[in-house]
Structures are given as structure tokens and as C-alpha cells.
Amino acid sequence: MPDTLEYIEAYFQQTLNNEERKVFETKCATDEAFAKEVAFYISTRQVLRETLLNNKTAEWQADTIKQEEDITPVISIPKRTIFNRYITYAAAACLLLFASVYLFEANTSPKKLAANYIQTNYSNLSQTMDASHDSLQTGIAAYNNKDYSKALQLFEWVEKNDPANGDAKKFAGLTYLQQQNYDEAVQQFDELANMKLFSNPGDFLKAVTLLERNQPRDKEEAKKLFQKVVTEKEEGSEKAEEWLKKL
Amino acid sequence: MEQDTQILHGLKADYAERCRQEKQLYERYFYFVDEGCKKYSLNYDDSFSAYSDALLSAIHNIINDRFDGRSSLKTYLYQIFSNKCIDLVRKNATNKQQVHKTMPVADTLNQLPDNVKNVVEKLVTSELKANIKKQLENIGQKCKEVLVMFEDGLTDKEIAELLAYSNAAVVKTTRLRCLEKLREKITVTG
């Protein structure tokens, strides 16, 4: 069947000659099974274009939003009446209430605990000036710019060429995590945990990812991993000990 | 015009440069979105959708040498944007009871002669597209990435360089296998 798809693609890429095009069109009009294949191909192209457009729009907007934030004008505050002042106090009280509820939630929900941890510690990766790891450093720069698809390409390229590179695996896992692709992130950290490194954060990061993924039994699995991290004094053991008390 | 030339060259350069120029272009003519709201009475979301869609079409035309340079980039982009707005106005007028969220018909279908197009168009249902959209998430990140990159106008050779495949032929085989994988999932679930 791939041959059929190749044939269909050749038509739409306009690499068939006139005679071949006519044969294709006749087959499409008379052979329903073939027409369905063509419909699948066209529908897929349309879905892919929509996906592409969503990705592009997000990329294009990323910088614009940042620029808008940078040039947000200072709004002058008009003189307030006593009534307005009461409304302001009431609004502030509501805000405080919501903030307290939110903070309570943030501190207690394992999913949010994990998300906050990643946000605080891994929004940015530190770069070095070591020229021997160009692709890794370019990947880190892309990650810090939130260009996760590019970052992933580079980290996976490094992984492919240097399978023993623990940093590349860790960063690829973190990139998947930022993309909320938890399954891939878990896989990366799992593989990282099995690597022989002097200091290995694989188990700890896998546990954090499981908490953030928050599927049935993820919490139990995360607890077991944190326990292992503490017992074997792996990287992240202090944090793991702290979290075990909260979970 | 000098900036036009710079953008046109940049769009045909390597992928990183192309992405930079896409952003330039996006920001430079973003005010079209307001025009769409005023001139065609579209709401902001529809006008924005027409703008980003027009921009992507223009970029693909430029990189595939379908922009002949006889008009300025602004005129060219505005023409495409204007057509997209008119499409949306027509669709909004004929589907007042529906929430219009679909993309304009892709160029792919229009490559077919009318008699064949009619046959295939009936088979391109919203259910099929919804199923494909769902299954696209189940064929693996790499597969999805390769397919989206190809849709973005990158050649197999360029994809091979970006994703560290050994050559263009490997990318082509991978791409077709990914499509086949997607088709199999559709057959099973459809």
C-alpha cells in the first residue's frame, strides 16, 4: 500500500507526465477504493496544514507577545471616590482569598507541585562556553527561547551521535516535559536512569514527570521512585525526602 | 523594496533564517488583521485566522517560486489575505447557524479536474479529518514531525539535514511509512 501513497503523492507533487496524470484521474473517477485512498491523502494534507499553521502561529506570536509586554504603557490611575475605594478593598480581599486558595492548591496538588518545580528549576537551562558541545549548547539556547521543537531535534541529534551523553538525554526529557508530552519524557528519564553516570537525576525527574502526568497509579509509582532516590542517595534525594512527606 | 528583497532572500535561505524572516513578515503586516475587521466586518479571530493562513500560503508560494515579483510583497500578501477574508465572509453567510472553524479548502483538492474533484470531495468528510487529527497524535512524535515539516515545504533533503537522517531517500521512505501507519490506524478505528 505505500506504493499507492507514493503514486498519489507523485500526482500531487506534479512529477507524473500528462499521460500518467490522465491514467491517475481516470482511476480516481472509476475505482472507489482508490478514490478513498486519494481522499485520505488529501484529508491528511489538510490536517497537517492546520497543525502546521497552529505551530507557526504560536511561533510567530511568541515574540510579539513578549514585545507587547515590554512596551505595555503605564496606565494613569484616576482619582478615586470613597465608593470606588470600598470596591477596591473588596476586590483586593477577593483577590487575596483567591490567591490563598490558589497557593493552597499549588502547594498540595502533586501535579501542581511537580509543575511548579519544573517551572522554577527548568524554565531555563544553564549554558556553558564549551565549544566541543555545539549542538547541545544550541539546543539549550533553543530550549531557553522556548523553541522546543528545534531544541528536541538538536538534543536527539546529540543523543544519536553520542549515546552515552547523559545531558542530551536529560535535556530531551525536559523538552518533552515542557511540551507536555509526558510519555516520551518518562521514556527519556527512564533511559537516563539506566545510564552509568556519576550523578544521575533520571529517577527523580521520572518521578516528577509522573506526578505531573497524573494518571492512575502515577502517584504511587512516583512515591516508589522518590523512596529509591532517598535510599540510594541519588541526585535530588533532599527534594525527594521533602516531597515524600507531602504526598 | 529593500526590505522586501531581504525577506524574499531570507525565506529561501536555510530553515533557521527562513523562520526569522517569517516572524518579520508576520509582524510587518499584522495590521491587516484590523483591516479585515473593518473592511470585511469579520470578528478578530476570523480576521486573524485569515491573516495567518494567508501568510503561510504566501510563504509557501515564495519558497516554491510561485511568486513572480511583479507586485510588492505587501500587495501580494494583501491580495491573498483579501481572498481568504472573502471566503470567510461567504462561509459565515451560508453557515450562520454553525461555528465556522474549518480551514479554506486546501490547494491539494483543487489540483484535480472538476469531475474527479467532485468524486473525491464527497469522501473528504469532517469525520475522516477528525479521525486523522486524532490518530496523528498516535503515530509517534518523529513521524508527526517529519510529516509536518514536509507540509511546510521542506524537501526530503532538507529534512534529512535537520533531523540527522542519512539521506533524502531515507526521509522519503520514513515519510511514506508514517503515512501508511496513519492510514492503518484510520482503517482500524474508522
Side-chain angles (χ1 to χ4, degrees):
Chain A
M1 207 53 88
D3 288 349
T4 310
L5 288 168
E6 190 173 6
Y7 178 44
I8 296 169
E9 182 174 279
Y11 177 86
F12 289 106
Q13 294 292 313
Q14 299 181 349
T15 54
L16 300 182
N17 62 34
N18 281 344
E19 202 174 316
E20 288 168 333
R21 287 181 73 79
K22 282 200 176 133
V23 172
F24 179 97
E25 285 157 8
T26 308
K27 189 173 167 123
C28 202
T30 54
D31 180 345
E32 199 190 337
F34 183 69
K36 278 185 179 172
E37 296 287 343
V38 175
F40 162 77
Y41 179 84
I42 288 173
S43 305
T44 304
R45 293 283 306 271
Q46 289 181 358
V47 170
L48 287 169
R49 193 179 188 281
E50 286 178 25
T51 308
L52 173 66
L53 189 56
N54 287 339
N55 294 349
K56 290 270 179 196
T57 309
E59 276 173 32
W60 294 335
Q61 279 182 311
D63 277 7
T64 312
I65 290 166
K66 191 174 179 303
Q67 281 168 16
E68 278 170 5
E69 281 169 358
D70 291 346
I71 57 167
T72 303
V74 177
I75 300 164
S76 60
I77 301 165
K79 285 182 182 174
R80 289 179 295 178
T81 63
I82 292 172
F83 180 69
N84 280 347
R85 198 171 291 174
Y86 283 131
I87 288 182
T88 311
Y89 292 152
C94 288
L95 199 65
L96 270 172
L97 185 67
F98 281 124
S100 313
V101 171
Y102 174 78
L103 281 174
F104 177 75
E105 177 74 2
N107 285 330
T108 51
S109 150
K111 183 176 169 66
K112 288 193 174 172
L113 198 71
N116 287 343
Y117 177 81
I118 293 296
Q119 182 65 27
T120 311
N121 294 282
Y122 290 108
S123 287
N124 278 290
L125 303 174
S126 51
Q127 280 184 283
T128 67
M129 298 301 287
D130 182 358
S132 64
H133 293 86
D134 274 347
S135 298
L136 200 63
Q137 294 304 318
T138 314
I140 291 173
Y143 180 100
N144 291 342
N145 282 330
K146 303 197 187 308
D147 188 351
Y148 296 125
S149 53
K150 185 181 172 190
L152 203 53
Q153 283 169 29
L154 289 155
F155 294 145
E156 290 188 338
W157 187 85
V158 176
E159 268 187 77
K160 198 174 172 183
N161 289 282
D162 180 12
N165 192 321
D167 280 340
K169 184 137 318 264
K170 175 183 166 183
F171 297 153
L174 287 168
T175 311
Y176 279 125
L177 189 50
Q178 295 288 4
Q179 291 179 320
Q180 300 185 338
N181 189 342
Y182 301 121
D183 296 347
E184 289 285 350
V186 165
Q187 194 182 329
Q188 291 288 330
F189 294 138
D190 209 22
E191 289 170 9
L192 175 65
N194 289 321
M195 291 170 86
K196 286 181 182 170
L197 301 172
F198 177 70
S199 175
N200 194 327
D203 283 327
F204 179 76
L205 289 172
K206 184 182 170 188
V208 175
T209 307
L210 289 170
L211 285 184
E212 202 175 333
R213 185 171 72 175
N214 198 27
Q215 281 181 2
R217 299 176 67 186
D218 275 352
K219 193 175 161 187
E220 286 69 29
E221 182 67 21
K223 272 184 179 178
K224 277 183 205 165
L225 282 165
F226 281 142
Q227 198 61 58
K228 182 177 173 237
V229 170
V230 172
T231 314
E232 297 182 15
K233 292 188 177 159
E234 290 176 11
E235 192 175 327
S237 60
E238 279 182 19
K239 200 71 181 169
E241 199 165 10
E242 183 188 320
W243 282 12
L244 275 171
K245 289 172 191 161
K246 290 182 185 175
L247 294 174
Chain B
M1 283 307 274
E2 198 182 316
Q3 205 174 353
D4 273 11
T5 315
Q6 194 187 343
I7 291 175
L8 290 171
H9 277 298
L11 289 175
K12 290 183 179 181
D14 62 66
Y15 192 58
E17 180 58 22
R18 179 185 147 185
C19 291
R20 266 193 291 280
Q21 294 304 331
E22 284 180 358
K23 273 182 188 167
Q24 290 272 335
L25 200 57
Y26 171 82
E27 282 162 17
R28 194 168 169 202
Y29 298 111
F30 192 79
Y31 65 89
F32 283 7
V33 177
D34 285 339
E35 291 275 309
C37 297
K38 285 179 202 158
K39 193 170 173 187
Y40 297 98
S41 305
L42 290 171
N43 64 36
Y44 184 85
D45 286 351
D46 278 351
S47 186
F48 177 78
S49 156
Y51 176 68
S52 46
D53 194 15
L55 196 63
L56 188 62
S57 296
I59 289 164
H60 285 169
N61 287 347
I62 291 165
I63 61 174
N64 290 314
D65 293 323
R66 290 199 292 262
F67 169 61
D68 55 18
R70 277 187 291 184
S71 61
S72 71
L73 202 47
K74 178 183 166 182
T75 310
Y76 182 66
L77 180 60
Y78 191 80
Q79 189 58 56
I80 300 176
F81 170 69
S82 185
N83 290 339
K84 302 267 182 201
C85 285
I86 292 166
D87 278 350
L88 280 175
V89 169
R90 282 185 187 148
K91 279 185 181 160
N92 285 345
T94 50
N95 296 313
K96 277 187 177 166
Q97 302 305 314
Q98 296 174 20
V99 179
H100 170 67
K101 287 286 174 198
T102 55
M103 300 287 297
V105 175
D107 291 343
T108 326
L109 194 54
N110 292 329
Q111 286 185 42
L112 294 165
D114 283 348
N115 63 323
V116 185
K117 185 178 157 186
N118 292 338
V119 173
V120 176
E121 203 165 17
K122 283 177 194 155
L123 299 167
V124 179
T125 60
S126 52
E127 289 79 16
L128 176 63
K129 283 171 72 176
N131 199 3
I132 290 171
K133 199 171 183 178
K134 189 178 163 196
Q135 295 305 330
L136 195 60
E137 302 305 318
N138 298 328
I139 58 167
Q141 189 61 27
K142 284 226 162 176
C143 262
K144 187 179 167 186
E145 193 171 31
V146 169
L147 294 177
V148 172
M149 278 181 150
F150 189 72
E151 192 58 38
D152 197 13
L154 271 81
T155 61
D156 288 333
K157 191 176 168 223
E158 287 168 326
I159 297 173
E161 282 163 12
L162 270 169
L163 299 185
Y165 282 93
S166 50
N167 56 48
V170 176
V171 174
K172 187 178 178 184
T173 311
T174 307
R175 217 162 36 69
L176 290 169
R177 277 193 192 144
C178 291
L179 273 179
E180 178 57 20
K181 198 171 166 185
L182 181 63
R183 203 190 63 80
E184 277 169 8
K185 286 189 183 287
I186 301 296
T187 312
V188 171
T189 56

